[in-house]
Amino acid sequence: MERARADLPITRGEWYTLEVAITADTAACRVNGVTLFEHRAASSYHGHVGLWTKADSVTLFTGLTIENS
């Protein structure tokens, strides 16, 4: 089930910084410091992390950091 979506033009070969800030039941998604959307869930997001890409894409992740504050 898709929770939220944002259309963002992506340039091939360019690196982007993706940040997801979780506060209780709200997730804010930012790319290069710009908030694309916020989603409020029916329950807490606490303890859940995942990365997903489309099956036909070539995607690289580097420098994954998970902080608990």
Side-chain angles (χ1 to χ4, degrees), residues 6-69:
D7 291 323
L8 177 69
I10 299 295
T11 303
R12 183 179 182 166
E14 185 173 332
W15 284 94
Y16 296 86
T17 300
L18 172 65
E19 177 186 1
V20 179
I22 308 283
T23 306
D25 64 349
T26 303
C29 180
R30 299 180 187 96
V31 174
N32 292 344
V34 176
T35 300
L36 296 180
F37 61 83
E38 290 187 3
H39 177 264
R40 187 171 195 146
S43 60
S44 175
Y45 280 112
H46 183 78
H48 295 84
V49 175
L51 301 174
W52 174 84
T53 65
K54 288 188 173 186
D56 63 348
S57 66
V58 176
T59 306
L60 302 172
F61 295 97
T62 184
L64 176 64
T65 303
I66 299 171
E67 297 177 7
N68 185 9
S69 55

